[in-house]
Amino acid sequence: MKNRLESAKSGALTPDEVIRDVAIHRQLLDDAAQRSMVDDLRAVVQQAPLFSPMTPYGKPMRVRMSSAGRYGWFSDRTGYRYEPRHPGGTAWPPIPDSIIGVWDRVTGLSRRPDCCLINFYDADARMGLHQDRDEADFSFPVVSISLGDDGLFRLGNLTRGGKTESTWLGSGDVVVMGGDARLIYHGIDRIRAGTSALLPQGGRINLTLRVVD
Ligand code: MD6
Ligand code: FE
């Protein structure tokens, strides 16, 4: 276990790397923590099954999704938004404590997230460059947790276009996008299949924690 410094000012953990103001904590979760988080997620998707949201431009998303928390992220022909219910009609399950604990460690905030968006990538899935801007208050960060196969994470700028930088996110890595980086464009270009044994069928899970309202 690496020696991790607590920042006296905010109580938030000091990251291993900062790229374009995006903080990266490498392997914050060890194997055991990753495995128990996956067990918790199995229970969530049993209650709130993964689905492929329709985009406003008429193509289903390549990534399969579900959510936990008071709100879940949703998309259809009318646009992107947060919904208090799964498309099947039931409330989203609560965010597991194992996941809330990561938010607490990396943000040091007393406000807890309202939504944990669960994204599942198979070997061919990707996610185009986007901003996370469906939330009411951009002063709260978005925290992401990666589990399973490596994903190539691309970071751009606060407006579309311009030079980008990429880094591989591995299982157990945690990213914090806050402050000046909160509205940076980002996406996943590709998955490196077979790089993790965490998920028996392979693939990558990314969890994003957000304060919604
Ligand atoms: C992914 N991540 O890693 C996609 N969003 O699969 C995100 O879209 C993301 O990593 C907001 C903040 C951090 C992220
Ligand atoms: Fe995002």
Side-chain angles (χ1 to χ4, degrees), residues 39-197:
D39 288 342
D40 292 342
L41 289 167
R42 280 202 184 91
V44 169
V45 299
Q46 224 152 31
Q47 286 178 255
L50 295 166
F51 57 94
S52 298
M54 185 56 70
T55 56
Y57 47 91
K59 254 180 73 174
M61 293 190 70
R62 192 63 187 72
V63 169
R64 291 192 296 149
M65 296 183 175
S66 188
S67 291
R70 291 200 301 129
Y71 293 104
W73 190 85
F74 188 73
S75 170
D76 63 13
R77 296 302 291 261
T78 69
Y80 305 131
R81 62 190 177 274
Y82 285 96
E83 289 282 359
R85 291 177 182 281
H86 184 274
T90 56
W92 306 99
I95 303 174
D97 289 344
S98 59
I99 296 171
I100 295 284
V102 172
W103 170 275
D104 290 351
R105 282 177 75 189
V106 299
T107 70
L109 295 171
S110 53
R111 177 71 152 93
R112 267 37 192 296
D114 304 309
C115 172
C116 173
L117 173 63
I118 302 164
N119 286 164
F120 178 79
Y121 297 74
D122 63 27
D124 305 314
R126 51 184 294 285
M127 185 174 293
L129 283 177
H130 66 277
Q131 289 173 302
D132 284 54
R133 55 176 315 141
D134 302 317
E135 302 76 28
D137 184 347
F138 301 139
S139 69
F140 290 106
V142 178
V143 171
S144 103
I145 304 171
S146 293
L147 296 166
D149 287 336
D150 296 348
L152 186 58
F153 188 50
R154 186 196 291 261
L155 290 169
N157 302 286
L158 294 171
T159 53
R160 258 195 199 285
K163 286 189 179 164
T164 64
E165 271 177 88
S166 296
T167 187
W168 285 98
L169 295 180
S171 199
D173 289 356
V174 175
V175 171
V176 183
M177 212 176 264
D180 293 341
R182 177 62 180 75
L183 291 174
I184 204 169
Y185 275 87
H186 58 280
I188 293 287
D189 286 345
R190 61 194 171 91
I191 303 301
R192 203 151 56 181
T195 45
S196 165

